[in-house]
Amino acid sequence: MNAEQKRRSTINPPVFFTSAILVLLLVLYATVFQEHAQRVFEDVQQWIITNASWFYILTVALVLISVVFLAVSRYGDIKLGPDHSEPDYPNKSWFAMLFSAGMGIGLMFFGVAEPVMHFINPPVGEPNTIAAAREAMNITFFHWGLHAWAIYAIVALILAYFSFRNGLPLTLRSALYPLIGERIYGPIGHAVDIFAILGTVFGVATSLGYGVLQINSGLHQLFGLPVSTTVQVVLIAATCALATLSVASGLDKGIRILSELNLGLAVILMLFVLVVGPTVFLLQAYVQNTGAYLSDIVNKTFNLFAYEPTDWIGGWTLLYWGWWLSWSPFVGLFIARISRGRTIREFVCGVLFVPAGFTLLWMTVFGDTAIHMILHGGVRELAAVVDQDSSLALFAFLEHFPWSTTVSLVAVLMVVVFFVTSADSGALVVDMLASSGKGHSPLWQRVFWSVTMGAVAIALLLANGLKALQAATIASALPFAVILLVAIWGLFKALGLDATRRGLRTQSLPGQRQHRQNHGGWQRRLRNIAMMPRRAHVTRFINDVVKPACDEVAQELRKQGYEVTVEERDDGRVTLELSHAGEGRFKYEVRPRAYNTPSFVLRESDDNNDARKYFRAEVYLREGGQDYDVMGWSREDVIGDILDQYERHLHYLHVVS
């Protein structure tokens, strides 16, 4: 990519400008008319909790069932991208970015606070008892376990599949393609992306606003820094400045490095608490908590307390489900962005089970240690601190460990870095939404959204408008839940067609050519097999043989009334394409593909370059590489292969129509 392309704006004007204006208007409303806004949004939220709680519960249950089914079904082998694609990031970097963007900051805030809050104020039963401790961990596991990550996973899966597999924009509008087709590029698509931008901006902004409370509390605990609005504004500004630097350096550098750093710090902090704390008890508790969670997951998933009405479910479970749903466009899009090239099964296992397992271990180590302190260590004041101010929970907890000042400093650093990674990944996602899914955009666009989210957070903090926008963000989960269910149906429909195409690919139809002609005898065939051609040889073959073959087929198809294009690229590939919309589009492409020369190949004595490449002329269809080489074939053989693949494509259309 040249410098001119990097500077060129990629914004989608209707989405960019409408989003920016709506962000400004909503911030003004939440700040100037703070009491009215808070009352309106909370009323909407309360109406949803009262009348639509069953829909939230049912939606989340269907999401979890769908994700697990996709992992174990025949669809699990389908790649999020062309069949030949490989993952963009190694597992370590991938897990780190998943963890940081998904809910890293939530673990820091609620790792101690939530189990203790459920322990001292359970939904049923007596507080401060062994039974309350057991139920507290069960509830915490339920809120932070598979359901939350399933919501992120299904949104990411839908976006990654339609974008990387079907060539649609990497934005939320693509999820509606099975329902409305090409109209996703019109006003409906714009509206969906604007909705996602507003949810992301306000979600990140409110998290920044509330998150600085924990940072401020930690710095007050460590250095006596006063807890004040001025300090919190400075902290938001500093966090966003760091996020701007990170987002400016790009996904592969800033976000990736910070995510890996934070995951490393999180593992060290967790191991420290595990080793210094009641180690054997924690290991036992983790196994027991996991077993209790899995054994009761169906009951808790569908429990609405219908026969024993309580405000507890609205203040906890439904609030969490609404928060995860409202955040899922942001987190899901980011996860999709970093997951290209993985199979659906690998993706689900990585996004659902690995982060959930780590999350549950984290909650056990911090939550059960805190409860153990209160129950058996006599540290009653910890419960009082958590009940009074949950932002102090982590630091009040760490006070009871050796080297508490150093450990608390590490915790503050982790909180800051988590917020930086949330802000920079949020800016990256919003920029993609406002740029029709383009992954490369000018620096000023990413910086604009990073600064915007910081400014929104500061404005809301100064005007006490955070609570209003948080209520609005959670309330937005209701319309998104409807969109999500429709998108899941579309995903299953598309995967069914994809699986059918994959199955037919392995079948030979009557009349298809099974063998090529051996022009020049077996000696020439042997030379073609044994040859390790350079790029120039393959490029010349494609130009001299493949392109004329494609031209001949295209000419004949045009006579039959088809619109056909034959395109030649700078990298040597040649593509024949029938320009039909939707599933009817047929593509046959031959491109040079590089491989390392095998060690068994005889080399000249003066050839010391172990990295010398050889090339194959490989066939690619719409769904990706087919892993066979046509180098050395005659023009008639290539034409026959095009016809074979086209006949198979027509048979697929016959089967699915």
Side-chain angles (χ1 to χ4, degrees), residues 155-195:
V155 175
L157 189 58
I158 291 167
L159 296 175
Y161 177 80
F162 285 116
S163 176
F164 301 138
R165 189 82 175 170
N166 292 272
L168 296 174
L170 187 56
T171 65
L172 196 62
R173 69 177 68 200
S174 297
L176 299 181
Y177 186 81
L179 182 67
I180 62 175
E182 298 296 321
R183 284 181 290 171
I184 64 167
Y185 300 107
I188 298 176
H190 297 335
V192 171
D193 284 348
I194 291 167
F195 174 81

Side-chain angles (χ1 to χ4, degrees), residues 572-592:
R573 74 179 69 180
V574 169
T575 306
L576 180 149
E577 188 167 359
L578 270 71
S579 302
H580 292 306
E583 293 295 330
R585 185 165 55 92
F586 171 74
K587 181 177 103 173
Y588 183 94
E589 180 179 276
V590 178
R591 67 173 75 164

Side-chain angles (χ1 to χ4, degrees), residues 109 208-236 239 389 391-392 395 411-413 415-416 419 461:
F109 196 94
L208 280 172
Y210 283 120
V212 295
L213 301 177
Q214 189 179 29
I215 299 174
N216 199 172
S217 298
L219 294 175
H220 175 74
Q221 198 92 346
L222 288 169
F223 308 112
L225 196 70
V227 178
S228 67
T229 304
T230 305
V231 172
Q232 290 158 12
V233 169
V234 171
L235 288 172
I236 291 177
T239 301
D389 186 0
S391 67
L392 287 170
F395 305 106
V412 171
L413 177 64
V415 173
V416 171
F419 271 109
L461 183 68

